[in-house]
Structure formats: structure tokens, C-alpha cells
Amino acid sequence: MVISIASGKGGTGKTLVATSLALALKDTMPVMLLDCDVEEPNDHIYVKARLTRTSSVAVPVPHVDESMCTSCGVCQNVCAFNAIAVLGSSVLVFKELCHGCGACTRFCPVEAITEVPHEIGVVEEGVADGFLFVDGVLTIGQPMAPPVIRKVKQRGVRDGVTIIDASPGTSCPVVEAVGGSDFCLLVTEPTPFGLHDLRLAVETMRELGIPHGAIINRAGIGDTRTEEFCRSEGIPILMTIPFDRRIAESYSRGTPLVEALPEYRQQFVELFKRIREHVT
Amino acid sequence: MKEVVVLSGKGGTGKTSIVGAFAALARNKVLADCDVDAADLHLLLSPSMREEHEFWSGQVAEIDPDRCTRCGLCEETCRFDAIHAYQVGRIGCEGCGLCARLCPTGAIRMKDNLSGHWFISDTRFGTLVHARLGIAQENSGKLVHLVRQKAKELALHEGADITINDGPPGIGCAVISSLSGAALACIVTEPSLSGIHDMERVLSVCRHFVIPALVCINKHDMNEEGTQQIENYCDSRHIQVISRIPFDPRVTEAQVQGVSLLEYTDDSYITAPIEQAWEAVRVRLDGKASGGP
């Protein structure tokens, strides 16, 4: 079973939920944790992962052999992303804009273009305490996270439970991370920002057709509108974590919730049971 | 006219609440919400919309089933795994157009894509440019660029000195688009291990694009050791730490009321560090101080 963790708003506690869920389940089933927030991957800090293998993530970008190029301009015309431009007798490639679709290479009439790998990030693999761990790291200055996320997800195994920590927001990196999940946990908080972004996250899950439920973190701050929204929209609230300064302080020092306050371990086991009921 | 962008790396460190407070403090500015994925600044500013515009960006392939001969070439050549059973998935399609160019019967057509909306609104703190990217859409970077462009045009038109841009979390496409060419980045961080890790990454992005950056530590009292670690990191790289803002439940209370923190309370315990942060940003924008990454 693949369970993804998303939120809309950032900082609501995705990483807290993903790491604690992995730690609570690892003794009873095979667990794999995939940190797909490749712009800001943090899970490794909390689960103290020992990363033993790093592999490059590259997208194919065009390389133009100028001795063969006739400056005809076909490559520029077929590129939908303005990533290749003919200027006089030379061709400029803007690697950061290239999506790697291969159109320029395919349509070059004199076969002057070949594709070369352009590294945009890495995938790191290893083990945490009792489970497999993979994360992706987008290289500084690179805009495109989805290919790195795709590569992280290719490492996922299907037996047992695979937990995917997504990035905040609702656009392509989130869609890439949560796609194919059996269930998505939407972590929110009872504030106007939390509610506003939860609505967007719910719309995203509906568009993608992924079953989902909410976790309300820092309950007690803010107001009750987030809870009311969930009830009126029929979104199950699968767990509530009260605001507790002890949680915030120990978490800020890198201690996962289930280790700082072991009474939460059973709650995460129960959470998993509830998710399983919704999936089957 | 200068642009300051508020970023954080990690989400939820308090960017929007701080921008809401800056909005109350700054004179003669235009506000821009560059977090087009999950824009929240309007929730503090109760904007009244002056203009609404559609944002068309990119294309999506569409297969005409009557002309399709089911040869499978499109599915085979699509690098984005967006075509299955002679149908294009709107979400997977990146709009490269390769399939449309290759289709032997011309059954594939590229359709323009409505990716979102953008707005110009009036608020009690001045003009706000904001946007909403459609659900599961791409091109957030282009929409951010557009929001910034409009904010700059309006600032010039209104004779404003600055635009204050509320940025998105992360370090990818939308952040790069929010940051490139700005006069200054203000990084709001928090003293948690993840907050620090993410601040370091977003500061590296600032360095990469040669944008000067300042650091503001929010909720500094949640972990004084972490706060010290941030200060040491910034000191060693000559990055100015402009303020230490304490954790205060009134930040959330103000949000619930839909107002800027400075409209909600005048207790200097929380207002003074925010005023200090804004003052440091203003001074740096005026060019009265130098240094930075």
C-alpha cells in the first residue's frame, strides 16, 4: 500500500506525520519511506537515515554539433519551452528550460543534435532504524523537481507500506509525488491559512481521484472552521494532534513525535488501521 | 523602484504573517503574492478585486478519436508517459507537441491551456497583485513572473518605491521565478533542524542568483540552541540577522480575525521585533548598509 502525505500549506506537519508513521509501523510490517519533497528534503534528519548510495538524476538535453548545423531554425520552432534558440550561426541551449521531450533532436533535418544528460539532482538511498529510506535532492538553482521525484518513486517497493512525503502546494511536484497513491493524508492546521490551502489540496486529490483524509495538527490554536469544513465535505478526520509546546520544542531538536512522546506510537498504528479501512 | 521578496525554504515559518505586518508598516508600496500555488496573503488583507484576468499558459494535446488509427506511435514516443489507450492525460501532458507533430493521420491537436487566474485588488494597505494557479497545473514560475511584472508596472504607475513580494516555499521553479532580479531577499526561518536545513538551501539559491539576503528568525524562543546555530551560520557568511521574533499565539489570533498582526495588538513584545525587521529591510533597500552573500 502506498500512502502519501500532502498539505497545501507548508509547515503543517507533513514530515512529522510521515516520519512518525514510518517509525510506528516498522516493527509490524516492511516499511519504506520516500521523501519526495526534493526541494527541501528533511525526513533524513528525523529518522537518522544512513545514506549509503547516491545516484544522479539527469534529464536529456540537446547538444548541437555546430559543424553539422545549418542554422535552419527547426529546433527552435519545434521547442515548446523556448529552450533552444538559433542566433546567427550558433545555437543556444537553455538547459534549465528544457523538459527533455526530444522534439529538437528528432526533427533536426541534418541530425546535428544529440542528447546529453544534464544533472538536476540526486537520489539517496539507505536505511533508517528498521526500514528502507530514499530521498531526492534537487540541485541548487535547478527549477524542475518532477524528474527527481519520479526517480525517487521508482525506488519504491510495493510489499508492505510505502510512505511518500510530498512538498507543499498543489502544482506539478505535488501531483508527481502523490500520483498512484492508494491514499493521501492531508495534514492541516485549524487556521484560516490551513483551511484555505486544505481546500486546494482536497480539490487536487479529487481531480486526481485519490482517496484522502485529514489530520489536524496543532489543534487548539486558531478556530473550528477547518474541522467544520471536513465534516461538511465528508472528509474523514483520521487523527488530531493537539498543539503542545513540548512537541514543537522536541521536534525542533530533531526528535520525531513518537520518540518524544511514545504514547503517540499507538495512535499512528490506529491511524494506519483507519487508512486501511478506507482503502479496502 | 525595488523589489524585496520574502522566502523561507521550509513552509510555515511565518512568511505571510510577516509580510502582512510589513504591509502595515511600509509606506508607498505595492504588494505581490508570489505563492501562486497556495496564496494566503489576501486572507489578511480583505482585498476588493479591481481586475481579474485569465492566465493562459502552455498547451495540452488532444486526440481526435475519429481520425486516430490506433497506431500507438504517440504513446510510444511520449517522454512523459501522458498517453494511454489513445487518450492524453491532462495532468501528465507537458505540452511539448511531439505527438502532434508525429501523428501520421494528424489526429492530435494542441489546445491552449487555461492555467489559472490573476488579480489586481485594492486593500487598506495599498494595491495587491495576486493569483491562483489552477489545480494540478504547471507553469507556476511563469505565473509568478507575471504577478511580479504587474506589481512592478503598478508600482511605477502609482509612484511606489517598493514592491513587497510574499514568496513560495521550496527552492524550485516558483522560488527561482520569485527571486531572480529582485533587489533583496528576506529569509524567514525558524530554529528547528528542518528550518535551518531549508534556510541554508534557500540562501544557497540566493547566492547562486547573486541576490543579497537577510535572515529573520521567527519563533526564536522555541529552541535557543537552534537560534544560536542560525546566528553562527549567518555570521560566518556575513549575512545579517535582522530580528528575532518570539513565538506568540497572537500571530494566529490575528490570522483568525483576518487582520495584520500590527492591527491586532500593539504590545511591543511582538511588534517591536517585527518593526525592527522591517526597518532593517528598508535600510538595506535604501542602500544605507552593505554586505551579504
Side-chain angles (χ1 to χ4, degrees):
Chain A
M1 175 153 67
V2 179
I3 302 170
S4 53
I5 325 278
S7 71
K9 175 167 159 41
T12 56
K14 283 181 298 301
T15 296
L16 176 140
V17 168
T19 54
S20 281
L21 185 60
L23 289 164
L25 298 181
K26 68 173 168 97
D27 294 330
T28 50
M29 64 191 78
V31 169
M32 189 163 197
L33 176 60
L34 309 181
D35 190 350
C36 286
D37 185 358
V38 303
E39 294 181 44
E40 297 290 16
N42 286 322
D43 291 10
H44 68 97
I45 299 172
Y46 294 92
V47 299
K48 292 155 194 79
R50 291 186 302 283
L51 301 166
T52 49
R53 190 177 154 209
T54 302
S55 43
S56 168
V57 181
V59 290
V61 299
H63 171 76
V64 182
D65 181 341
E66 297 212 345
S67 70
M68 292 165 75
C69 174
T70 61
S71 308
C72 70
V74 166
C75 54
Q76 176 179 305
N77 294 339
V78 299
C79 179
F81 310 108
N82 301 317
I84 191 163
V86 182
L87 267 173
S89 62
S90 60
V91 181
L92 296 179
V93 174
F94 304 101
K95 290 177 194 166
E96 276 67 34
L97 298 178
C98 178
H99 286 224
C101 71
C104 56
T105 309
R106 187 177 278 270
F107 292 111
C108 175
V110 294
E111 296 184 9
I113 304 179
T114 49
E115 292 185 312
V116 292
H118 167 56
E119 185 177 288
I120 59 165
V122 295
V123 169
E124 304 175 319
E125 294 173 72
V127 287
D129 180 19
F131 57 91
L132 296 171
F133 179 82
V134 187
D135 70 11
V137 185
L138 183 68
T139 302
I140 297 297
Q142 291 296 330
M144 252 185 290
V148 183
I149 297 168
R150 226 170 283 153
K151 197 74 174 272
V152 173
K153 288 180 72 178
Q154 283 168 6
R155 298 301 187 190
V157 284
R158 290 276 162 158
D159 56 331
V161 59
T162 302
I163 298 167
I164 294 178
D165 192 5
S167 52
T170 58
S171 68
C172 22
V174 177
V175 171
E176 191 69 50
V178 304
S181 305
D182 297 300
F183 196 85
C184 185
L185 283 170
L186 301 174
V187 186
T188 187
E189 56 181 37
T191 63
F193 294 175
L195 172 57
H196 178 264
D197 299 350
L198 174 66
R199 284 177 197 271
L200 301 174
V202 166
E203 277 184 62
T204 308
M205 292 312 137
R206 286 178 180 161
E207 171 99 23
L208 297 173
I210 298 174
H212 51 278
I215 293 186
I216 298 184
N217 190 16
R218 302 194 190 101
I221 66 165
D223 57 19
T224 56
R225 283 176 282 183
T226 303
E227 214 178 308
E228 287 156 16
F229 167 77
C230 290
R231 290 194 208 295
S232 70
E233 292 286 321
I235 299 157
I237 298 172
L238 298 171
M239 189 175 186
T240 299
I241 305 170
F243 176 74
D244 180 337
R245 204 169 159 130
R246 286 177 307 164
I247 297 177
E249 290 187 356
S250 62
Y251 191 72
S252 78
R253 292 178 168 78
T255 311
L257 174 58
V258 293
E259 284 175 10
L261 301 171
E263 61 267 32
Y264 275 93
R265 192 170 287 268
Q266 191 52 37
Q267 290 201 39
F268 278 93
V269 172
E270 296 296 326
L271 168 68
F272 177 71
K273 285 185 191 158
R274 256 171 258 145
I275 293 171
R276 207 165 42 191
E277 282 163 21
H278 281 278
V279 170
T280 51
Chain B
M1 205 279 302
K2 289 175 177 169
E3 282 179 289
V4 55
V5 55
V6 179
L7 296 171
S8 65
K10 178 171 162 19
T13 60
K15 282 184 297 302
T16 302
S17 291
I18 287 174
V19 170
F22 285 177
L25 288 167
R27 293 178 198 291
N28 211 14
K29 79 286 178 184
V30 166
L31 301 161
D33 193 340
C34 295
D35 187 0
V36 299
D37 234 32
D40 286 337
L41 185 58
H42 65 279
L43 298 172
L44 300 181
L45 303 178
S46 19
S48 81
M49 202 186 294
R50 201 195 303 166
E51 292 178 28
E52 176 176 1
H53 300 272
E54 291 179 340
F55 172 64
W56 289 80
S57 179
Q59 295 188 312
V60 175
E62 191 181 59
I63 301 176
D64 177 353
D66 296 335
R67 289 166 77 182
C68 174
T69 60
R70 306 191 156 222
C71 71
L73 182 63
C74 51
E75 180 169 343
E76 200 181 293
T77 48
C78 176
R79 294 259 173 102
F80 309 106
D81 198 24
I83 305 179
H84 293 283
Y86 318 105
Q87 284 187 336
V88 180
R90 197 244 334 142
I91 288 163
C93 178
E94 299 201 7
C96 71
L98 183 69
C99 55
R101 289 178 193 279
L102 288 176
C103 177
T105 60
I108 306 182
R109 184 167 82 89
M110 298 305 293
K111 276 178 36 184
D112 286 342
N113 186 38
L114 178 64
S115 314
H117 291 82
W118 61 276
F119 319 96
I120 299 174
S121 296
D122 294 308
T123 78
R124 59 193 182 281
F125 300 125
T127 306
L128 168 70
V129 184
H130 48 135
R132 164 134 188 227
L133 189 70
I135 291 300
Q137 285 287 348
E138 300 186 11
N139 287 319
S140 59
K142 284 186 185 163
L143 185 52
V144 170
H145 181 79
L146 181 66
V147 165
R148 279 181 65 188
Q149 198 54 41
K150 292 296 163 191
K152 280 192 276 192
E153 285 170 17
L154 284 160
L156 286 173
H157 180 72
E158 295 175 9
D161 306 322
I162 44 174
T163 73
I164 304 175
N165 301 352
D166 189 9
I171 64 154
C173 156
V175 168
I176 291 172
S177 198
S178 303
L179 184 67
S180 59
L184 183 64
C186 175
I187 311 299
V188 177
T189 187
E190 60 178 34
S192 61
L193 290 186
S194 43
I196 296 168
H197 172 266
D198 296 357
M199 171 199 75
E200 290 179 11
R201 276 172 68 77
V202 78
L203 282 171
S204 301
V205 176
C206 294
R207 225 171 12 248
H208 183 90
F209 291 100
V210 205
I211 309 293
L214 305 170
V215 166
C216 177
I217 308 174
N218 196 14
K219 307 173 210 167
H220 77 89
D221 49 343
M222 293 303 262
N223 179 352
E224 288 295 358
E225 228 169 87
T227 294
Q228 193 56 52
Q229 199 182 323
I230 294 170
E231 294 190 357
N232 294 344
Y233 179 90
C234 291
D235 281 352
S236 69
R237 285 161 181 79
H238 310 290
I239 297 164
Q240 188 188 350
V241 175
I242 55 173
S243 189
R244 290 149 204 84
I245 300 169
F247 172 78
D248 191 327
R250 285 174 293 191
V251 176
T252 304
E253 289 165 19
Q255 195 192 114
V256 170
Q257 298 301 319
V259 296
S260 165
L261 177 67
L262 299 187
E263 295 170 293
Y264 185 73
T265 176
D266 57 6
D267 181 353
S268 63
Y269 173 76
I270 185 73
T271 60
I274 290 179
E275 285 163 4
Q276 184 188 330
W278 174 247
E279 183 58 17
V281 168
R282 204 185 56 73
V283 166
R284 178 65 79 91
L285 282 176
D286 286 350
K288 288 176 191 158
S290 58

